[in-house]
Amino acid sequence: MRFLHTSDWHLGRIFHGVHLTEDQAVVLDQFVNLVGDSKPDAVVIAGDVFDRAVPPPEAVQLLDETLSRILLDYQIPVIMIAGNHDSPERLGFGNRLLSRQGLHVVGPLASMNDPVVINDAAGPVYFLPMPYAESAVVRSLLDENAADCERAMQAQINHVLRQVPADARTVAIAHSFISGGESSESERFLSVGGVETVTAGVFSRFNYTALGHLHKPQTVGKPNIRYSGSLLKYSFSESDHEKGLYLVDINQQGEVSTERIKLAPRRDVRCVEGMLEDFLKRPKLGESVEDYLQITLQDDGPVLDPMGRLRAIYPNVLEIQRTQLNATGELRGPVADHRRLTDHDLFASFFEQVTGVKLNSEQEAGFAAALEEVYRDRREVAG
Amino acid sequence: MRFLHTSDWHLGRIFHGVHLTEDQAVVLDQFVNLVGDSKPDAVVIAGDVFDRAVPPPEAVQLLDETLSRILLDYQIPVIMIAGNHDSPERLGFGNRLLSRQGLHVVGPLASMNDPVVINDAAGPVYFLPMPYAESAVVRSLLDENAADCERAMQAQINHVLRQVPADARTVAIAHSFISGGESSESERFLSVGGVETVTAGVFSRFNYTALGHLHKPQTVGKPNIRYSGSLLKYSFSESDHEKGLYLVDINQQGEVSTERIKLAPRRDVRCVEGMLEDFLKRPKLGESVEDYLQITLQDDGPVLDPMGRLRAIYPNVLEIQRTQLNATGELRGPVADHRRLTDHDLFASFFEQVTGVKLNSEQEAGFAAALEEVYRDRREVAG
C-alpha cells in the first residue's frame, strides 16, 4: 500500500498582503505530476485545505482543478479531512456523491461514519479520517465526557475503531496539535483558554498517523506519527523548513517506510540581515531577487525610504526589521507615565525612538501645526 | 421525455430578519418526494440556487442533502445553472466529478461546453444549460460584440447550438429577464445602467425554455417559454403568487405539455388590512396565526406598541404599515427648508407626522433633556 501524505495547503492564503494562489498553483501542479509519476494507491490530505472558512473563488477553482486532475486523469482516490481553518459544511458539499468518484471528503464530524477501505495484494488497509472538531462538538455527538482536546481525540479514535477489525492495517488521518510538536507562527490556536495538545500515545494503535496542523514536517512521539508540513512557507518563522510531503509504503506485515519529497516553490521565503548599502549593491550572482524577503537592517540611525529603495532590486521585500530597535527587545519608552506627557513630548519621544535622532526645530514646528489642525477640527465638530 | 422545471430556491434567504432555511427544507422535502413519485427523466434548476455568493453553511447542507437524495435515492439526473445570486465558482465546485454521478452543475460560463443529452424511446433530448453571465464575461469568452444582455444571450445560444443537430429536441435553461415578464420586489437587477431585458424571440428555436430569475410563475412570449417561479414567496409583493414548479413532457414530435404543481409552504406570506382592535379580537376560525404577515392598520392617530400587541396573537408579523401615512404617498414635510429649522422644531414636525398628534409638554421636556445630553457629550469629546 503506497500513499502520499500532505496537509495544510491553506489555499487562498494572503502572506503580508500577497495573494499566494499563483504560488500554490505552481506547487500543486508539481504535486499532481508527482501523483501521476509515483502512482500511489491513495492521496491523503490532513486538513486546512483552505486558509479560511470562506475562501476566495480562485482558491475554490484551484482545489477543484487539482482534485479533478488526480481523480479523472489518474483515477487515484483522495481522502481529505477538514482542518481548523476549513468550514466543515462547505468543504463537505457533495461528499456522498463525490465519494462514489473516489473523492472522500470528511467535513463535519457528524458525517464521519465509515472508514475508507483500500485493498492491495495483502488485503485491506483502513484509512480513518477524523476531521478537526471542537471538543464541544465531540461532546454533543460522540462522548459527553470529552472535556478537552485529548479526550475529544480519544473519543473520535474509539468511534472509528469500532468499525475496524482488530488485526487490520490502519492509517489515522487527523488534524491536531500533538504535545512535543514544534509550531511556527502561521498556525492558529486550536483551543482558547484550554490545553490544545494531544499526547502522541493516543495514536499508538495505528500503523501510520497522517497529521495536519503544524507547518513544520516532523515526527512526534514515534517514527510513524508524522506531520507532512504545509505546502508552502506561510510565515517568516518557517524560512528554514523544507516543504514537501511524504510518500508512505505499508507492507504486508504492516511495516511502514517513508520517503520525503520536496516541492519547489515559485518563490522562496527568506530572512536576510545586513547593512542597507550592502543590499543596494546586490543582487549577488545566482540570487533569486523574486523571493519573499524579510530584511533586517543593521544600520544605526535614520534610514530614508528603505522599502522603496530595496524593492527596486528585490520587488518582493515584505518586511523590514531594524536590529537597532530589536536590540532592547521592546520600545524604549519614557520612564514617565505616557498619560502624563503633553502631546508634544509624547511625539518627540516616539520620533526619537523610531528614527534614532532628536526632533529638530523645523520638525517641531511641523508637528505643532498638524496638531493645531486636529484641535481645530474637533472644535468645529463640537461647535 | 419528462422533467421537472424549478428555479430560484434562494437557499439561505433572510426575509425581514427571519432565516428561511427551515421553511425551505419543508418545501424541498415535498419536492424530493414529488421527484420520487413522478419519476421524471431529469430535474432542471434554472439558477439562483443560493440567495447570495457566500451562503450560510446550513444552506449548503440543505442543498447537499436535497441533491444527494434525488441522485442517490432515485438516480435521477439534475441539471443546474448559476443565477445572478450565485457565485459561479463556488456553485461549480467539483462539477466534472459530480457530472459523472448525474449532477450537472454549470457555474462559470467558461465551463459551459457540452449539452447534457438524455435519451427516451424517441431518441435524445438536448438540455442546454446557459448560466447567468454578465455581458462583459460573454464578450471576453464568446463574442466581443455582445454589447448588451440581449446580444450576450444570443451569443450563448449560438455557442451551445453548435453542438446540437438541427432537428434535435432541445430544452434551453437560462437565467434572465425576458421583456414583458412581470417582476416582483425580491429580484435583483441584472444590469446596472443598461437594458437588462432579453426578447423572448431568441428562444424560439427550443422546444421548451426553462427560465429562472422572475419569481412569479409565468409564460413569456410563447407558451413554452416559462418561468417556474421561486420556491417560496420572498417578498410581500408575491403574496398572491402560487409557488410551485412545472412538470414538463416532450413527446416524440417535440410537442410540449406542462402541468403546474403547487408546493405547500410551512408558513404562508400574507398582506392583511384592518383596525388594530379587530386584529386583537382574532384569530378567526381556521386562520393560520403562524404565517408571515404584513399588517396594514387603518387606525387614525397614535397607536401604542402595535408590533408587541399583534405579535402576542400573530408571532410572525414582520411589517406594520399605516394607511394614514400611506394616504399622501409621501411624508408630509414642513414647507420650510429643514436645514433652517431648529432641532426642536424639526423633531416636533417629525413626531407629528409619525404619530398623528402634536408633541405635548411632557414629551417636549423629554426631548429637550435628551438633546442636551447629546450636546454635552459632544462638548466633552471636543474638550
Side-chain angles (χ1 to χ4, degrees), chain A residues 55 64 72 90 94 100-101 382, chain B residues 55 64 72 90 94 100-101 382:
Chain A
D64 182 30
L72 296 174
R90 292 181 207 286
R100 297 172 158 231
Q101 289 297 319
Chain B
D64 182 31
L72 297 173
R90 291 181 207 284
R100 296 172 159 231
Q101 288 297 321

Side-chain angles (χ1 to χ4, degrees), chain A residues 213-225:
Chain A
H213 183 56
L214 298 182
H215 288 184
K216 180 177 185 154
Q218 58 194 297
T219 60
V220 275
K222 296 205 307 176
N224 296 330
I225 302 175

Side-chain angles (χ1 to χ4, degrees), chain A residues 319-379:
Chain A
E319 199 175 89
I320 292 178
Q321 304 224 336
R322 301 285 302 274
T323 44
Q324 184 197 3
L325 293 177
N326 290 342
T328 64
E330 55 180 340
L331 286 176
R332 294 157 303 168
V335 179
D337 181 344
H338 69 86
R339 286 166 299 185
R340 290 167 187 279
L341 291 177
T342 65
D343 289 343
H344 171 274
D345 291 349
L346 193 59
F347 179 75
S349 154
F350 171 74
F351 183 88
E352 192 182 335
Q353 270 184 34
V354 172
T355 64
V357 293
K358 281 195 185 300
L359 210 57
N360 64 29
S361 60
E362 193 184 344
Q363 289 157 341
E364 267 188 12
F367 174 71
L371 194 64
E372 172 53 25
E373 209 168 313
V374 172
Y375 288 151
R376 195 168 52 235
D377 286 353
R378 277 200 194 171
R379 280 192 298 269

Side-chain angles (χ1 to χ4, degrees), chain A residues 6-8 211 214-217 227-231 243-244 260:
Chain A
T6 174
S7 77
D8 295 271
L211 291 168
L214 298 182
H215 288 184
K216 180 177 185 154
Y227 286 98
S228 66
S230 57
L231 193 66
K243 300 298 188 181
R260 180 78 190 163

